[in-house]
DNA sequence: GCGGTTATTCATCAACTGATGAAATAGTGC
DNA sequence: GCACTATTTCATCAGTTGATGAATAACCGC
């Protein structure tokens, strides 16, 4: 009764398994956990368990926890999406920026941003270069579509407004902003963002 | 040559020391480390070393790391200061709120807020009640001085703007906002905050 | 159907972490 | 100057964490 292979007997055993995307499963589990617990709060064992895989497999594919984190961010994909959105000429700049953050960055790529923020804020010493990434990727988004005096500062005020919303709405979960629709938020945001974005055109 | 006391010989030894405020030193070290590394990123050993004290002394005074964290926040002192500031009738509400955050919360109590934010974002499971504290203390500050429709939401948009500034300016350290003066920030902030604060009085 | 490559698990390590109990020392009341 | 108490260090523990090396199993070219 022991002549069949371990896999055929349904046991959990060593060796190659059939047709599973373990590497992808690990990346997905890592993304979710880094997003909800940050870098330090996420253990490789938790990632492995969520992915239904042994811990050692993580190191087999990614080497270190840090490289797993870096790969789970997919910043390249995000950067591409952003420049794409910014290239298209929009009617109202303030509304365009607000929707860019709310409807793209904070939904489709929410895990990436949450993980990045939680990690940068939670363990600054481990990842010194993440500050630079954050400055360029997140803040740079608004900066590029802006002119006039103090352009960088005004862009950062816009980014600060949106990052604060990300924190309160998605990371901390404070009511009522956590359950307010994007439409309602845009309505309130546009006049405020406009004071930053149009400041340079007065004089 | 061994007849004097260990302390008299300048050695590091057990037993009570003269006239030092070890408890206060521990609290100060904890506040600084929690602010710069968050709850999880701060080890009791690091606190002890910074305070020039053995690890066991921390547990002698505070029991657990969590209670040390809670005590290091001094939220009571902050809450008192806030209601005090809010009670005084100010001319321009928007400017008053901006200055309240920039000149009081983000300077005098920066370590407390940084530690709170870093901890809430970095290790959400460890401190479930901190979300509530944050909602009440930080966001509530602006909320109380507000009326009209969507008062809570508008207050949170103000808080979001200021929290985003705290993150970019003090926690991540992005330029140029990190080295911009409070005066310059207030100049840009007032018109934007006004759109939130005065929204309720139109209709 | 054989040999090499890749995927997967198991067993284990060394470092670190929060925490505890006991011992030693100095100040305090009397 | 003696008992008492508060402060301080030392030695140590048990649990967790990231990481490694060897063993095993399935797939691929041929």
């Amino acid at each position: 009764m022991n002549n069949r292979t371990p896999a055929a007997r349904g046991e959990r055993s060593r060796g190659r398994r059939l047709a599973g995307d373990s590497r992808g499963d690990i990346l997905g589990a890592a993304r979710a956990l880094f997003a909800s617990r940050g870098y330090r709060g996420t253990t490789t064992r938790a990632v492995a368990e969520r992915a239904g895989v042994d811990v050692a497999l993580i190191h087999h594919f990614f080497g270190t926890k840090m490289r797993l984190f870096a790969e789970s961010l997919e910043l390249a994909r995000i950067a591409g999406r952003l420049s794409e959105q910014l290239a298209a000429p929009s009617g109202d700049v303030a509304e365009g920026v607000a929707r860019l953050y709310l409807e793209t960055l904070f939904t489709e790529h929410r895990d990436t941003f949450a993980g990045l923020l939680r990690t940068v804020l939670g363990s600054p010493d481990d990842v010194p270069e993440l500050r630079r990434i954050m400055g360029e990727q997140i803040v740079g988004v608004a900066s590029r579509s802006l002119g006039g005096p103090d352009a960088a500062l005004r862009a950062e005020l816009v980014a600060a407004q949106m990052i604060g919303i990300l924190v309160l709405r998605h990371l901390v979960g404070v009511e009522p902003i956590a359950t307010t629709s994007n439409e309602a938020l845009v309505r309130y945001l546009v006049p405020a963002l406009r004071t930053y974005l149009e400041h340079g055109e007065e004089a």
Side-chain angles (χ1 to χ4, degrees), chain A:
Chain A
M1 63 180 180
N2 221 359
N3 46 356
R4 289 179 302 164
T5 68
R9 292 198 306 275
E11 296 174 1
R12 189 180 225 211
S13 70
R14 299 187 190 179
R16 193 164 187 159
R17 272 192 313 211
L18 320 85
D21 182 17
S22 293
R23 202 191 133 97
D25 293 345
I26 292 172
L27 272 178
R31 208 160 10 240
L33 286 174
F34 284 136
S36 72
R37 300 161 121 87
Y39 184 79
R40 253 196 161 106
T42 300
T43 68
T44 54
R45 281 169 172 80
V47 173
E49 187 181 6
R50 182 169 182 140
V53 138
D54 188 273
V55 204
L57 196 56
I58 292 178
H59 293 95
H60 170 67
F61 281 127
F62 302 97
T64 71
K65 180 187 177 186
M66 189 62 219
R67 255 191 286 162
L68 169 65
F69 175 71
E71 198 148 339
S72 78
L73 287 183
E74 1 168 63
L75 283 179
R77 242 185 58 193
I78 293 185
R81 187 61 176 268
L82 291 188
S83 53
E84 184 183 313
Q85 283 248 3
L86 282 172
S90 70
D92 187 310
V93 180
E95 181 167 348
V97 170
R99 291 195 183 278
L100 177 65
Y101 274 92
L102 290 178
E103 297 173 1
T104 303
L105 275 58
F106 292 171
T107 55
E108 194 176 337
H109 301 294
R110 185 191 310 179
D111 280 358
T112 291
F113 276 88
L116 197 55
L117 246 188
R118 286 206 150 102
T119 299
V120 169
L121 295 187
S123 43
D125 292 340
D126 285 341
V127 275
E129 88 273 21
L130 283 184
R131 292 161 177 255
R132 184 185 51 77
I133 293 177
M134 209 173 139
E136 291 177 5
Q137 296 283 355
I138 305 185
V139 179
V141 173
S143 185
R144 260 168 264 151
S145 66
L146 214 59
D150 291 334
L153 176 61
R154 285 153 50 218
E156 285 170 8
L157 284 166
V158 171
Q161 172 71 81
M162 301 312 295
I163 287 176
I165 290 174
L166 173 68
V167 168
L168 288 185
R169 196 185 191 202
H170 299 300
L171 304 189
V172 182
V174 176
E175 295 294 352
I177 200 175
T179 53
T180 299
S181 71
N182 282 348
E183 291 310 314
L185 282 181
V186 167
R187 220 174 304 134
Y188 279 113
L189 277 172
V190 165
L193 297 187
R194 198 146 24 207
T195 69
Y196 299 132
L197 296 171
E198 295 181 350
H199 227 281
E201 302 162 8
E202 289 178 359

